[in-house]
Amino acid sequence: MSEHWKIPASRALRADGLRVADIDTSAKPGFHGRKKDGEQLLSERSKVLAALQEKLYANGRSGDNRSVLLVLQGMDTAGKGGIVRHVIGSVDPQGVDHAAFGIPTAKEKRHHFLWRIRKALPRGGQLGVFDRSHYEDVLVVRVHGLVPEAIWEQRYAEINDFEQELTESGTTLVKVAMFVSLDEQKKRLRERLERPDKYWKFSPGDIDERAYWPAYQQAYQDLLDRTSTGHAPWYVLPADAKWYSRLAVTELLIEALEKLDLNWPPANFDPAAELRRLDTA
Ligand code: ATP
């Protein structure tokens, strides 16, 4: 905690009872200060995150099977890619298991929706990141009626069981739903169309999806109401300010890693004896 961030991010961003339609996407829960204070804090806290992640990785190398999995969901332009680049980008890439989930391939479609997800789970000691996830199967799939309601309806319970199994086997889930306003989304889409260095981020379908915002809001509401559990709660992240969303996710990850109470793994050799050997080598 610091003078600019005083309560745990997990408390400030907890989704319990929240109405998606009421989210103030420009709010900065947990943070007190100005943008420049936030940016300064982010640069300090990134170092704390990197040190904790190194400890997780070191323990993984010594057989610890615990891992942390950041699940990022959000409408187009919400900033999922920015979190991956700037938050996850501040830690040692060796210790990161990154997976992005787009439209399922023909092969993936032949399998249960969790099949491709299970294959991408982080190994022990890794910080996993899902850029989109199994939640697409109750979001885009539901909004566009890609499978019958009877199928997507049962997925909420399947997801809860799956995530319980995951947490019991040592994975801490940090589920973050990012929200930008429709106006902010328009601004970001416009930027992608006006700047050649951003064309690659644009898909024409992103504009069509804006018409479905009310249906997405309903789908996100049900997702929060039905899959925010004690073992795997959702965090709701107002994402109009990129610097804030990066700081908030950094805080959430630091908290998750601190809860693991990690120490440096003990040597499986005698350091003093090895030092003596080194002196004469
Ligand atoms: P992003 O918009 O995340 O930056 P992108 O535009 O590069 O990504 P991809 O990563 O190739 O596109 O795919 C993302 C698209 O895949 C999104 O439109 C998303 O809704 C869709 N998608 C993801 N999972 C599923 C799924 N299970 N069923 C159908 N569509 C899905």
Side-chain angles (χ1 to χ4, degrees), residues 76 80 101-104 116 131-133 136-137 140-141 146 201 203 206:
D76 297 316
K80 301 183 295 296
F101 296 96
I103 297 170
R116 64 174 182 165
D131 180 344
R132 301 184 188 269
S133 66
E136 291 292 325
D137 290 278
V140 66
V141 167
L146 303 181
K201 294 186 185 182
S203 316
D206 296 349

Side-chain angles (χ1 to χ4, degrees), residues 101-105 109 113 116 132-153 155 209 212 216:
F101 296 96
I103 297 170
T105 60
K109 278 187 189 145
F113 77 103
R116 64 174 182 165
R132 301 184 188 269
S133 66
H134 41 301
Y135 284 101
E136 291 292 325
D137 290 278
V138 289
L139 290 168
V140 66
V141 167
R142 166 179 166 165
V143 167
H144 289 286
L146 303 181
V147 301
E149 178 169 350
I151 303 279
W152 59 253
E153 176 59 37
R155 289 181 174 168
E209 284 301 271
Y212 293 91
Y216 272 108

Side-chain angles (χ1 to χ4, degrees), residues 59 206 254:
N59 278 280
D206 296 349
I254 288 175

Side-chain angles (χ1 to χ4, degrees), residues 74-270:
M75 299 290 288
D76 297 316
T77 78
K80 301 183 295 296
I83 298 290
V84 174
R85 265 193 307 284
H86 297 278
V87 177
I88 304 304
S90 70
V91 309
D92 182 351
Q94 291 182 94
V96 173
D97 278 343
H98 170 267
F101 296 96
I103 297 170
T105 60
K107 185 174 179 190
E108 287 169 347
K109 278 187 189 145
R110 288 197 295 276
H111 288 271
H112 186 268
F113 77 103
L114 292 175
W115 181 76
R116 64 174 182 165
I117 304 295
R118 286 185 187 278
K119 287 204 306 175
L121 289 171
R123 294 157 290 158
Q126 297 292 107
L127 172 58
V129 194
F130 281 0
D131 180 344
R132 301 184 188 269
S133 66
H134 41 301
Y135 284 101
E136 291 292 325
D137 290 278
V138 289
L139 290 168
V140 66
V141 167
R142 166 179 166 165
V143 167
H144 289 286
L146 303 181
V147 301
E149 178 169 350
I151 303 279
W152 59 253
E153 176 59 37
Q154 69 192 22
R155 289 181 174 168
Y156 296 97
E158 287 183 77
I159 287 173
N160 287 339
D161 288 348
F162 167 64
E163 291 185 350
Q164 178 155 8
E165 180 198 314
L166 268 186
T167 49
E168 282 168 1
S169 63
T171 299
T172 301
L173 282 152
V174 180
K175 303 191 296 188
V176 178
M178 304 176 71
F179 292 92
V180 283
S181 67
L182 267 180
D183 280 351
E184 179 64 24
Q185 189 191 56
K186 189 176 242 178
K187 209 176 97 199
R188 293 183 185 181
L189 287 174
R190 180 179 296 283
E191 199 174 53
R192 291 179 182 187
L193 288 167
E194 289 175 346
R195 285 181 44 181
D197 62 321
K198 298 214 170 194
Y199 290 166
W200 66 275
K201 294 186 185 182
F202 182 78
S203 316
D206 296 349
I207 296 179
D208 303 315
E209 284 301 271
R210 287 170 62 79
Y212 293 91
W213 181 226
Y216 272 108
Q217 276 196 324
Q218 188 54 56
Y220 268 103
Q221 188 67 57
D222 281 351
L223 173 150
L224 297 179
D225 292 345
R226 300 178 67 179
T227 63
S228 199
T229 55
H231 55 270
W234 272 105
Y235 300 109
V236 167
L237 182 60
D240 280 0
K242 290 179 184 171
W243 63 266
Y244 168 77
S245 46
R246 292 165 192 172
L247 175 60
V249 174
T250 301
E251 291 296 338
L252 284 170
L253 289 174
I254 288 175
E255 230 184 293
L257 284 160
E258 279 178 342
K259 277 209 189 103
L260 297 182
D261 204 12
L262 298 161
N263 291 307
W264 292 110
N268 57 3
F269 48 85
D270 176 353

